[in-house]
Amino acid sequence: MYRHTTNIGVIFVFLLVYTASGSRYFQAGVPLNYAKAFGRRLRSVREAAGLTQERVAERAHTDAKYMSALENGRSSPTLDTIMALAKALNVRADDLILLEGEDADARALRKRIETSLDGCNEEQLRRIYRLIRDVVEP
């Protein structure tokens, strides 16, 4: 019979190292709220696709109230829901669960950049352009 034992000291060191290092799983020593992180990610992908909560809910065969609860971190999705949302948004499921803002491909990154730029004023756009120019041009 297999017996699982846990060394509490190893777990404590693990938590201490991750907390001190600012790991993506801990922020300021507090575990990441996965429901809220998923909700922020879902909203970002949905907005980048230019879709309303109602439209995504319709495509995913759910309702807009549930979409709102997901995006606000009040509900956690099942695997079936994640798959349905990915199909409705025309993205891969892992695009929805990359919780640290890491995008898997250039297309998704371009959409996120465009969405971020929408709220910028003229001066902010100038500064952003200078930063991009400094990075892209030799």
Side-chain angles (χ1 to χ4, degrees), residues 37-111:
F38 177 82
R40 284 190 302 270
R41 181 69 180 171
L42 176 60
R43 177 178 287 125
S44 173
V45 172
R46 177 183 60 75
E47 289 175 348
L51 298 171
T52 64
Q53 287 180 342
E54 292 78 13
R55 184 66 179 132
V56 174
E58 180 183 305
R59 287 182 176 184
H61 307 289
T62 188
D63 62 45
K65 285 184 181 181
Y66 183 56
M67 281 293 299
S68 176
L70 287 172
E71 288 189 2
N72 290 305
R74 293 187 315 267
S75 287
S76 294
T78 64
L79 180 57
D80 289 337
T81 300
I82 292 171
M83 299 305 289
L85 290 169
K87 185 175 180 181
L89 291 162
N90 198 28
V91 296
R92 298 184 329 227
D94 63 339
D95 289 336
L96 292 177
I97 56 177
L98 290 172
L99 302 178
E100 293 303 306
E102 302 167 23
D103 287 299
D105 60 33
R107 185 182 69 143
L109 278 171
R110 286 179 191 277
K111 284 183 182 179

Side-chain angles (χ1 to χ4, degrees), residues 19 21 28 31 48-49 52 55 64 72-73 84 86 93 97 99 113 116 121 131:
T19 302
S21 69
T52 64
R55 184 66 179 132
N72 290 305
I97 56 177
L99 302 178
I113 291 168
S116 297
N121 63 35
L131 287 169

